[in-house]
Amino acid sequence: MSKTKKIADRFLRPVAAFALAVSLGGVQAAEDRVVAEPTTASIQAAVDAASAAGGGRVVIPPGTWDVGTIVLKSNVELHLSKGAVLKATRRNREIRQIPDLPGHKASHGLVIAWYAENIALTGEGELNGDGLDYFEHDKPADCWGRFFYRRKCGRPWVTLFNVFKCKNVKLEDVTLRDSSSWTGHIRMCEDVAINRVKFLNDVRWINSDGLDLDASRNVTMRNCRILSGDDGIVLRAIVRPGLEGPTVLENVLIEDCDIESGCQCVRVGCPSDDTVRNCTLRRIRMSGYNGIYFDNPVAYLSKDNEGFVDVHDMVFEDFSGTVKSYALQATVAPGIKIRGIRNCLFRNFDVHSSGAPRFIGNVWSKFENLRHENFRFNGELLPDGEFVGDFTNDKPLKRRTKKIDNSRAGHAAEAAPAKETKREGDVTYVAHAGEEYYAPDHSKAAYRIALEHGLDILKFDLHPTKDGQIVCNHDN
C-alpha cells in the first residue's frame, strides 16, 4: 500500500462512522418555548426551564433584540427564527464569561456553555457582536493599511459562540456576524456538527477569527461560509494550566466551505500547542491573504517553552482559489523545537498566489512526508512527490524582551525578537528588503524590525516613478 493511501485511509474510515453518529444525535425538541419579548433575562429563564424539564427548544421570534450573554444548558436548542437578531448589548453588566476552569482561561461570549451535553444553536437568524463599535474605521492599524485600529470602547471583547467541554454540540443554519473577537471558539468538546453556518466579519478587523477548533474531537463542518479579518479556520490544541494528560485536536472533517481571510484561510497549530492529528479538509475554496499556513513564530511561544506542537496525519484535498501571499506554507522560526509536521497529503489543488509553496524549518524542527498529488500552482502542474524544505537554520532562539508596538506593523511585527546587541567577529550584517522573515519585504515593518534586531545595513530598492517621485519597491 502506498504512503498516500495509508495517510488517507487511516482517517477517512473512522470519519464516516463518527459523522453518522453526530448527525443522528443531538437535541430532542420535546417542547417549543417561544420567547415573545426577548431580553437577556427572559431568554435565560426559558433556557433554564427547558433544561430543568428534561429538554426542549427555545424559539426567538423575528426582530432585533439587544441582549447580554445567554448560557446554554444541557438538552436545550436555542432556535433563531428567520429575521431574528440577537445583538450584543452595550450594558457590560449583562456580558458574562465562561469562568476560569482547569484547562480554560476565562473568556466572554454572547452564547456560551460549559460542561453541557446535547446543546444546539439553530435557525436562519443571527448573532451580532456589534463589532464595528470596537474599531476606528478611518485609521489603518498597520503599514499595509489592512486593519483598523482597535479603540478603547470600554466593552469586553465578545466571542459570539463560545463553548468548553461540551458533548453533542450542533450549530446549524445560523449567521454569526460582526464579532469583536473570535467568532466561534469550540474548546475541548466532543461530537460537534456544524452545518450551513455563516461566519461573517469585516476583513479589516484584527482578531476576528472565523472558527477556532481547539483540543476537540469528532468534529464535522460542512457547507459553511467564512469571512474574517484574522484566521478563517484554526486547528489548534492549546495547552492551559490545570490539565493532566495530553491536549489533542483529532478526528475533524471539514468540507465544502468558502473561506476569505485577511490573514490565513486555514491555520494549523502554534509552536506551544500539543497535538493536532487526523484531520481532513476537502473541497475548500480560498481567497484573501494566505491559504494554508502551519505557522510557528516566536510571538506565539509560551513562556519557558521552546516548542512542542506535533501535527500529523492530515489530508487536504480539492482546494482551489487565489490568495495574495502564499497558498501553502509551513514555517518554524529559528531556535523553536517542535516535535514535527509529518504525514500530510495535499491532493487535487488548483491555487494561485504570488509566493510558491514554501517549507522552512530549522535543524531542530524538520518536516517529514509532506506529499502532493495533482497539485497545480499558478496554472502549472507540479510532478507528484514530496515537498522539500529548508532545515539548515541553526540560529538559537531569540525571545522578545521588549514589547513591540504593533499599531503600525500589524501581526507580522509580533514575531520579532528583541534587538541583538552583541556580534561575533567583524561580520557586517546587511538586511536586503528588511527582515522579510517577519514582515513583507520592503515594508516599513520589515525595516523597523531589522533595526530592532541590530542589523548593520539596510538595503533598499529605489525606483523613480513617471512623475519624478522616488519609491521603495522590490525590483520594478
Side-chain angles (χ1 to χ4, degrees):
M1 183 182 293
S2 68
K3 286 184 180 179
T4 297
K5 184 168 177 51
K6 285 181 180 179
I7 294 172
D9 287 354
R10 188 181 305 169
F11 177 58
L12 291 178
R13 283 198 299 266
V15 159
F18 84 71
L20 178 62
V22 171
S23 67
L24 294 177
V27 177
Q28 300 299 316
E31 178 185 353
D32 278 0
R33 299 172 185 267
V34 180
V35 184
E37 294 292 332
T39 64
T40 307
S42 63
I43 297 172
Q44 191 62 61
V47 169
D48 294 347
S51 182
R57 186 167 77 154
V58 174
V59 179
I60 307 300
T64 298
W65 313 103
D66 183 67
V67 299
T69 299
I70 308 300
V71 182
L72 275 181
K73 303 292 182 65
S74 292
N75 304 312
V76 175
E77 173 186 348
L78 180 60
H79 182 83
L80 309 182
S81 302
K82 188 174 183 178
V85 178
L86 296 184
K87 189 169 184 178
T89 182
R90 298 189 180 192
R91 298 184 297 275
N92 288 350
R93 66 183 182 276
E94 294 187 29
I95 298 296
R96 296 177 58 185
Q97 294 179 317
I98 296 178
D100 274 316
L101 297 167
H104 182 78
K105 181 180 179 181
S107 55
H108 295 90
L110 188 56
V111 174
I112 67 177
W114 62 95
Y115 299 135
E117 296 186 4
N118 304 322
I119 59 174
L121 177 65
T122 67
E124 296 183 57
E126 176 180 307
L127 297 183
N128 190 297
D130 193 26
L132 200 61
D133 184 56
Y134 290 77
F135 297 90
E136 293 286 359
H137 316 144
D138 58 345
K139 298 178 181 178
D142 67 12
C143 61
W144 309 286
R146 289 192 310 173
F147 297 116
F148 292 146
Y149 273 112
R150 277 185 185 268
R151 68 184 182 88
K152 294 181 179 179
C153 60
R155 302 174 65 184
W157 313 115
V158 177
T159 296
L160 296 185
F161 187 74
N162 191 0
V163 293
F164 172 66
K165 280 204 170 181
C166 295
K167 294 182 179 181
N168 295 329
V169 179
K170 182 166 73 171
L171 195 59
E172 188 169 88
D173 293 322
V174 296
T175 297
L176 309 183
R177 189 187 301 273
D178 290 354
S179 178
S180 61
S181 183
W182 297 355
T183 312
H185 188 194
I186 295 175
R187 165 81 174 154
M188 302 191 78
C189 295
E190 295 183 21
D191 301 325
V192 179
I194 305 167
N195 296 297
R196 301 181 300 277
V197 176
K198 298 182 181 70
F199 303 82
L200 304 179
N201 298 306
D202 193 303
V203 295
R204 294 166 294 180
W205 295 3
I206 292 174
N207 298 131
S208 61
D209 290 7
L211 178 65
D212 284 65
L213 295 175
D214 179 7
S216 297
R217 56 171 47 90
N218 301 346
V219 181
T220 61
M221 180 179 184
R222 294 187 173 98
N223 300 301
C224 294
R225 166 80 173 118
I226 294 177
L227 181 64
S228 64
D230 216 303
D231 304 324
I233 292 176
V234 181
L235 306 176
R236 292 194 60 188
I238 301 175
V239 178
R240 298 283 192 198
L243 288 179
E244 295 183 0
T247 302
V248 180
L249 175 77
E250 63 182 349
N251 299 346
V252 175
L253 173 62
I254 300 172
E255 57 188 3
D256 300 301
C257 293
D258 289 301
I259 308 172
E260 180 179 351
S261 169
C263 283
Q264 283 67 249
C265 290
V266 179
R267 175 187 288 276
V268 184
C270 279
S272 297
D273 288 358
D274 194 332
T275 302
V276 178
R277 67 190 180 200
N278 295 347
C279 300
T280 288
L281 291 81
R282 59 192 181 196
R283 297 188 296 277
I284 306 296
R285 293 162 293 278
M286 305 186 298
S287 59
Y289 198 73
N290 279 315
I292 302 169
Y293 198 178
F294 301 74
D295 185 21
N296 296 276
V298 173
Y300 296 161
L301 200 61
S302 299
K303 184 179 179 181
D304 301 323
N305 183 300
E306 293 187 348
F308 188 66
V309 70
D310 187 14
V311 179
H312 63 89
D313 296 300
M314 311 284 287
V315 177
F316 303 84
E317 59 183 350
D318 301 309
F319 273 64
S320 61
T322 300
V323 296
K324 183 176 181 180
S325 188
Y326 289 91
L328 171 62
Q329 60 177 331
T331 60
V332 183
I336 291 180
K337 302 172 183 178
I338 68 172
R339 287 179 291 165
I341 299 174
R342 52 195 169 85
N343 298 339
C344 298
L345 171 64
F346 305 91
R347 178 166 56 196
N348 301 335
F349 272 58
D350 188 0
V351 292
H352 299 258
S353 64
S354 60
R358 67 170 186 167
F359 300 86
I360 302 174
N362 55 52
V363 295
W364 303 279
S365 300
K366 300 181 180 180
F367 313 147
E368 301 177 25
N369 193 26
L370 307 187
R371 294 192 55 79
H372 58 86
E373 294 182 357
N374 192 28
F375 195 106
R376 191 175 297 274
F377 172 69
N378 286 351
E380 180 180 351
L381 183 63
L382 306 183
D384 291 353
E386 292 189 22
F387 284 115
V388 177
D390 178 0
F391 309 112
T392 59
N393 193 308
D394 61 357
K395 294 181 180 178
L397 174 65
K398 293 191 284 187
R399 293 183 182 274
R400 290 185 297 162
T401 57
K402 163 182 161 183
K403 184 176 180 181
I404 292 177
D405 176 10
N406 67 346
S407 63
R408 296 180 302 279
H411 291 312
E414 295 180 4
K419 179 177 179 179
E420 183 179 354
T421 58
K422 295 182 179 179
R423 297 290 186 188
E424 296 181 1
D426 297 321
V427 177
T428 298
Y429 289 82
V430 179
H432 172 67
E435 279 278 46
E436 58 184 345
Y437 182 88
Y438 297 104
D441 55 9
H442 292 289
S443 67
K444 292 179 182 178
Y447 293 134
R448 182 173 61 81
I449 295 168
L451 292 175
E452 290 173 347
H453 285 188
L455 293 166
D456 301 300
I457 297 174
L458 292 180
K459 179 180 179 296
F460 299 85
D461 284 354
L462 300 177
H463 303 280
T465 62
K466 289 183 178 180
D467 58 356
Q469 301 298 314
I470 300 296
V471 297
C472 184
N473 183 52
H474 182 56
D475 295 332
N476 291 317

